[in-house]
Amino acid sequence: MTIDPELFASLSTFMADNSAEAREPGDLLAFRAATADMYAAFTAPLSLPPEVEHRVFTTASADGAPVDLHWFSLAAPAVGKTAAVVHTHGGGRVAGDVSMFAPFIAQFVASSGVPFLSVEYRLAPESPGSKSVEDAFAGLNWLLGQATSLGVDPARIAVMGESAGGGVAASVAIMARSAGVRLARQILIYPQLDDRTVDPDPELVPLVGSMYADNRAQWDAVLGDARGSEEVPATIAPARLTDFTGLAPAYLEVGSLDIFRDETAAYAQKLWTAGVEAELHVLPGLVHGWDHLPPFVSIHSGVYARRIAVLQAL
């Protein structure tokens, strides 16, 4: 397997222009700092589209902790009720915040017309276990409660996330099913679903750097000694789910050179087996997070157009 040549050129250019200090694989604090630096470089050429308005609300999580909710919507929305997305950002559940991903979120809103509620969920290791998912579920409940005032159709709400945020979104979909909340869709972009993905695939190792070590450390931070055991609930690691019936229809997307490829494909297979509609795209030659790297490769336009179509179909 080989990396897409255009992506390889982009990666080479980015690495040459943005030198980073070497870090120990699996060092969470170093990973957090590196993620902040990397996304600062990713988003430097970007800005929020002027037609997108950004407001911040606050709700309470299950344990009473405050949760900031970032509402991105068109400043001049269309007449009538709209669909909406509850979004959870990437970062391994140990790094990242909404501000890092805001330009990407706002572009989805500008291109699709669908507003996004991006949840500032708590991070491990400071807030381990299910805190991230509980915060995101609180965001979903808040949006349902505010649907009328925000002009949102409660029957057309989806959850969406990339990487760790994709895993959080999948867990929120599981919680929504248990609560009797019908979601329009779960949109999972190269999602981090399975705490057991820690053994390196020799075919991928030369292309993914420290991802396996980082993934192990991230799940350790979330689950502690329970990682890899039979004690892990699906409301934290969605791949542990045994009953997929009744879940929201899914759109799943992952690169063929992503360490989350196999768990994403397996998740789609389990959805299909349970009679749940699932659209799976495995993108050849692409690595994790490929779509956030400028300058964007040509395949981005087609993939991005498909994501917008999914949003507009809500």
Side-chain angles (χ1 to χ4, degrees), residues 4 6 9 58 76 80 116 131 164 167 176 180 195-196 247 273 283 292 305 309:
D4 179 274
E6 191 180 356
T58 303
F116 273 49
K131 299 301 184 187
D195 60 294
R196 296 163 295 190
L247 286 177
T273 300
L283 307 173
H292 289 170

Side-chain angles (χ1 to χ4, degrees), residues 9-275:
S10 293
L11 278 168
S12 300
T13 300
F14 180 82
M15 296 302 292
D17 293 343
N18 296 274
S19 59
E21 293 184 9
R23 64 179 180 86
E24 188 70 22
D27 182 331
L28 292 181
L29 292 180
F31 175 84
R32 186 177 287 180
T35 299
D37 290 344
M38 183 171 60
Y39 271 86
F42 282 173
T43 58
L46 305 176
S47 59
L48 265 63
E51 65 269 33
V52 175
E53 182 179 76
H54 175 206
R55 289 182 284 167
V56 181
F57 302 96
T58 303
T59 190
S61 195
D63 62 358
V67 181
D68 284 344
L69 307 171
H70 294 255
W71 180 246
F72 296 86
S73 62
L74 293 179
V79 177
K81 291 184 177 180
T82 180
V85 170
V86 175
H87 171 264
T88 42
H89 65 77
R93 302 197 203 190
V94 301
D97 57 34
V98 174
S99 67
M100 291 183 192
F101 292 80
F104 302 110
I105 298 166
Q107 191 57 59
F108 278 127
V109 175
S111 299
S112 69
V114 176
F116 273 49
L117 185 76
S118 193
V119 180
E120 198 74 85
Y121 61 85
R122 286 171 287 177
L123 302 176
E126 295 87 351
S127 298
S130 61
K131 299 301 184 187
S132 58
V133 180
E134 291 169 4
D135 292 352
F137 189 65
L140 170 62
N141 281 327
W142 181 90
L143 182 56
L144 288 167
Q146 299 295 321
T148 299
S149 64
L150 293 172
V152 169
D153 182 349
R156 297 167 60 200
I157 294 175
V159 292
M160 178 177 178
E162 54 280 308
S163 193
V168 172
S171 285
V172 170
I174 295 168
M175 291 182 69
R177 179 188 63 176
S178 298
V181 175
R182 294 185 64 84
L183 294 173
R185 183 158 289 220
Q186 47 181 323
I187 303 169
L188 313 178
I189 309 299
Y190 38 80
Q192 183 185 39
L193 301 165
D194 197 337
D195 60 294
R196 296 163 295 190
T197 303
V198 295
D199 295 324
D201 179 340
E203 293 289 337
L204 296 182
V205 166
L207 298 166
V208 300
S210 64
M211 270 201 74
Y212 281 105
D214 290 337
N215 193 46
R216 178 189 289 269
Q218 290 157 14
W219 281 116
D220 282 346
V222 173
L223 295 168
D225 293 339
R227 184 195 57 77
S229 74
E230 296 305 313
E231 308 301 318
V232 178
T235 47
I236 300 178
R240 299 305 196 102
L241 191 65
T242 56
D243 178 10
F244 284 73
T245 57
L247 286 177
Y251 173 91
L252 306 98
E253 187 188 288
V254 68
S256 67
L257 305 180
D258 193 321
I259 74 166
F260 300 149
R261 177 198 62 205
D262 294 350
E263 64 192 65
T264 301
Y267 205 75
Q269 180 64 64
K270 291 174 182 177
L271 288 164
W272 291 324
T273 300

